[in-house]
Amino acid sequence: MEANIAIPSDGKNTWSGGGVRPFGASYGKMMMWFFIVSDALTFSAFLAAYGLTRFKFIDSWPIADEVFTHVPFIHGNYPMYYVAFMTFILIFSSVTMVLAVDAGHKMQKSKVAWYMFATIIGGLIFVGSQAWEWNTFINGSYGAVKTTNGKVLQFVKDGHQIALSDFVVGERMDDRVTKTKLNGIWFESGETVPEYSLAQITASYNADPSVQIRIEKINLDTKKKIILSREKGLEELAKGKMVVNGANLQANEYGNTIFADFFFFITGFHGFHVLSGIVLNIIIFFNVILGTYEKRGHYEMVEKVGLYWHFVDLVWVFVFTFFYLV
């Protein structure tokens, strides 16, 4: 029994099988496509899980326009403005990457370098913005109270959510002592002491009749969270378990904790991809400067890293749609 061995038609071709290239693509580009397809399936699974979970808890899911309302260095309520800016920057960086690839086809070294540099700057702005958004989300904007039965109580005045600092007055009304240099008290372990105590919040709520409480449950007809009567609010406040500031994996001042879990995981996973793309772009950028691809006679590496960058941008469009728009 004889075995036939396919030998490339030339020693430089990586493909076997007589040098035939599937779809006319080089080995490196085909492997990049394999990676992109497999990674797309991973992101699809994550987003599908997010969609199913949101549908299950649709009546208590945080409203994006009430969560992502901040702009760096500017006070006020600007729902989705900065997220839209981040998205524009990332999409624009995809345009500069296209221009870099096109310049590579024309063997225009200086243009490739400049467009790659612009792509790197766009990526850095996006990652920096995402880090700022994470920090804002973690620290919170208003503060809330979580009850023993898992409800999140937010405070509103004239129909608009307000921060605890807007109505809570007086001193803490419990036995916890805040660590200072003067009293010399140090805690080796234990939970972080919130700025306000439950008793202090309850007393301030009773003292200000203009303040109302709303829960994370959403009226599906009006698409707004349900505001309780003063009496019902006090009844729920009596069940208070802890004061929540911001969002983490255990509590979320904006509503359902699972929202924060998905937010950190999916946007963090995407952010890691963007950061990896920036590192790859920087390596390719310096190779362009050194003339590596001029010597090879082609800029295929720029095209391959461009495929990855476009994939990262496309994934963000879906993440943006799922988390911020729908």
Side-chain angles (χ1 to χ4, degrees), residues 57 59-60 62 90 98 116 119 134 159 204 222-223 235 274 288 290:
F57 299 102
D59 62 342
S60 63
L90 195 61
V98 169
M116 287 290 294
T119 302
W134 266 46
S204 299
T222 62
K223 305 298 183 183
E235 181 182 329
V274 176
V288 171
L290 294 173

Side-chain angles (χ1 to χ4, degrees), residues 43-56 61-62 64 68 258-263 266 318-319 321-326:
F43 273 106
S44 297
F46 293 157
L47 292 175
Y50 172 84
L52 290 171
T53 306
R54 176 174 178 174
F55 181 77
K56 181 178 180 180
W61 209 248
F68 307 104
I258 303 178
F259 173 83
D261 298 341
F262 273 110
F263 177 80
I266 294 180
F318 285 98
V319 173
T321 301
F322 272 65
F323 270 98
Y324 302 98
L325 297 184
V326 178

Side-chain angles (χ1 to χ4, degrees), residues 54-63 215-227:
R54 176 174 178 174
F55 181 77
K56 181 178 180 180
F57 299 102
I58 192 170
D59 62 342
S60 63
W61 209 248
I63 301 172
I215 56 177
E216 76 272 22
K217 292 288 183 180
I218 298 174
N219 185 322
L220 297 180
D221 294 328
T222 62
K223 305 298 183 183
K224 294 183 178 180
K225 295 181 180 179
I226 298 173
I227 299 177

